[in-house]
Amino acid sequence: VPLSLTCLYSYSPHQSGSPIIASTNIRPLHCFVMTSEDEFSKRDASGLQPTFPKGAKSASQAEAQTRAAYYKLTGIFQFGIAPALAFGLLSVTRTPSSTLSDQYEHRLAFIRKHDLGWIYAAWYVLSLARTHALINANATRAGARVGRPDQHAYKIMARPKDEASASSTSKDSSSCLGLADAPYVLMENVGPVGRFNRAQRAAFHFDEGLELLLGSIFLVGAVLPRLAFGLVVLYCLGRVLYTGGYTESLNGRMNAFALVAIPAVILSALVGIFGIQTLYIEQ
């Protein structure tokens, strides 16, 4: 495997009136071997993706296209596929015996009697708001050309050289180093450090939706506990595969994404169905 030698350097500026570049002692701190993976092949000079997705010509166009695509895909899943699967599972779950059907109706009646359907409605509205926030983040990602697994793009806040020289009060030595034109600070995505970053991102991705997921488990489990348990087992299996795939590669996360998303949206649909049944459908 082709290898390259990379060295880290430190600088220690002299305390003199001369420019910082001319008076800087540069010395190597540590050298290490890197693999031949090229993490710059799909980045421009600033470290961002070189083009906008889907042939967009501007940041605003890329954002609008991505936003529309996510709303369409989410709408189909959340208001079409997920409710259909949920109603199918409800039918299968209640069919084996009259006892299960009676328990289902008894629990819905309890929720209805105590006016608890509003809790289901509140959870569902909250989930829609979070979905909007996620769509908004993904749309602006496309406009910013920030790739995954990065969640932020950091900039060194150094004054450009021409502005620094024009300001009589500024003593900003960082402009002499050319830091104002430095690339964005982004996650490394190759080698052992890249694996670590992707593994961390997979873990945080799990945590980010855990509160709403737990809420849906409790709300659905109060009516159909066995179905809730089965969906959680399927979800956890998907998470294990998703985490392993994401750790191996950026695209590897997509291999198990459906196994993560489908149980979650079914739970969401069931919360919505139970809310409607207990608020608007009389016994």
Side-chain angles (χ1 to χ4, degrees):
V1 178
L3 301 174
S4 61
L5 187 67
T6 301
C7 297
L8 298 177
Y9 292 88
S10 70
Y11 72 88
S12 54
H14 293 299
Q15 302 298 323
S16 65
S18 57
I20 191 169
I21 286 294
S23 61
T24 297
N25 291 330
I26 300 179
R27 54 190 178 86
L29 286 178
H30 179 66
C31 294
F32 54 93
V33 176
M34 296 181 63
T35 66
S36 60
E37 295 178 88
D38 186 3
E39 59 182 323
F40 304 104
S41 61
K42 296 182 180 180
R43 298 179 186 268
D44 62 12
S46 65
L48 302 177
Q49 294 175 333
T51 59
F52 295 110
K54 301 180 180 179
K57 303 300 182 183
S58 65
S60 58
Q61 185 182 14
E63 182 174 333
Q65 288 179 353
T66 304
R67 191 185 306 276
Y70 269 100
Y71 271 126
K72 180 180 179 181
L73 180 63
T74 302
I76 292 172
F77 254 88
Q78 193 152 359
F79 302 114
I81 296 175
L85 292 173
F87 277 117
L89 287 174
L90 283 176
S91 177
V92 171
T93 302
R94 297 171 58 190
T95 299
S97 69
S98 58
T99 302
L100 291 176
S101 182
D102 290 342
Q103 288 176 346
Y104 173 78
E105 296 297 342
H106 176 74
R107 290 161 184 163
L108 287 183
F110 177 88
I111 295 171
R112 191 180 296 112
K113 177 181 178 180
H114 295 278
D115 205 23
L116 299 177
W118 292 108
I119 299 177
Y120 287 77
W123 182 96
Y124 197 80
V125 171
L126 185 64
S127 72
L128 292 178
R130 182 177 183 272
T131 298
H132 168 75
L134 291 176
I135 291 174
N136 183 66
N138 280 293
T140 54
R141 176 189 290 277
R145 294 185 290 122
V146 175
R148 292 175 176 84
D150 291 288
Q151 301 302 303
H152 301 278
Y154 297 94
K155 178 182 179 180
I156 300 174
M157 301 304 292
R159 190 186 300 273
K161 189 180 297 184
D162 54 348
E163 292 184 14
S165 59
S167 175
S168 58
T169 61
S170 174
K171 301 296 183 182
D172 188 0
S173 59
S174 63
S175 62
C176 299
L177 291 172
L179 296 180
D181 300 321
Y184 289 101
V185 179
L186 301 168
M187 286 186 181
E188 184 168 353
N189 199 27
V190 300
V193 176
R195 281 175 57 84
F196 166 75
N197 282 335
R198 293 191 301 273
Q200 284 282 79
R201 183 64 203 129
F204 290 146
H205 192 271
F206 193 171
D207 294 342
E208 287 163 6
L210 195 56
E211 296 88 347
L212 277 174
L213 179 67
L214 288 173
S216 67
I217 293 169
F218 289 133
L219 292 172
V220 173
V223 181
L224 293 171
R226 295 182 184 182
L227 177 57
F229 174 77
L231 289 171
V232 169
V233 170
L234 190 62
Y235 176 88
C236 290
L237 175 61
R239 274 296 174 190
V240 170
L241 297 175
Y242 178 92
T243 299
Y246 205 166
T247 301
E248 292 301 321
S249 70
L250 184 61
N251 293 328
R253 75 192 195 284
M254 300 307 297
N255 296 333
F257 184 76
L259 199 56
V260 172
I262 291 175
V265 295
I266 291 176
L267 285 167
S268 174
L270 287 170
V271 173
I273 291 170
F274 295 159
I276 293 173
Q277 288 181 330
T278 54
L279 288 174
Y280 300 108
I281 299 177
E282 295 296 332
Q283 182 70 23

